[in-house]
């Protein structure tokens, strides 16, 4: 399970993975205080996407993507459309 090196690649891959089968995808956030690292993992048990950072601006991006995914997961609409990027 390699980590993505750039945020743009990871966010596009995570969005694509979620939109292929929303019922199987789960998102995990993990913060390690001793390292100062925040890791986000998006998986559907077949594919596992990971991104790790210790930069404050990346933490904001992770928070934004996580919020978008959570809104899609709880919405009652169909998940056929793509997420809009800001």
């Amino acid at each position: 399970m390699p980590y993505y090196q750039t945020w743009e690649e990871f966010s596009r891959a995570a969005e694509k993975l979620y939109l292929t089968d929303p019922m199987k995808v789960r998102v995990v956030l993990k913060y390690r205080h001793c390292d100062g690292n925040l890791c986000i993992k998006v998986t559907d048990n077949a594919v596992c996407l990971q991104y790790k950072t210790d930069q404050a601006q990346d933490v904001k991006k992770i928070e934004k993507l996580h919020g978008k995914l959570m809104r899609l997961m709880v919405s009652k609409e169909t998940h056929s459309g793509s997420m809009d990027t800001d």
Side-chain angles (χ1 to χ4, degrees), residues 44-57:
D44 68 352
N45 290 335
V47 178
C48 182
L49 311 172
Q50 294 185 352
Y51 183 78
K52 180 169 45 172
T53 188
D54 61 353
Q55 301 297 312
Q57 64 265 23

Side-chain angles (χ1 to χ4, degrees), residues 17-58:
L17 181 65
Y18 176 77
L19 292 174
T20 48
D21 193 358
M23 295 304 292
K24 290 186 179 179
V25 173
R26 54 186 197 276
V27 179
V28 177
L29 285 173
K30 182 178 177 182
Y31 177 70
R32 288 181 46 102
H33 181 70
C34 61
D35 299 335
N37 288 331
L38 179 65
C39 179
I40 182 170
K41 179 166 82 169
V42 181
T43 184
D44 68 352
N45 290 335
V47 178
C48 182
L49 311 172
Q50 294 185 352
Y51 183 78
K52 180 169 45 172
T53 188
D54 61 353
Q55 301 297 312
Q57 64 265 23
D58 288 342

Side-chain angles (χ1 to χ4, degrees), residues 70-83:
M70 292 300 112
R71 280 192 299 277
L72 282 174
M73 288 179 185
V74 299
S75 71
K76 293 182 179 180
E77 300 173 6
T78 61
H79 301 289
S80 59
S82 176
M83 292 190 303

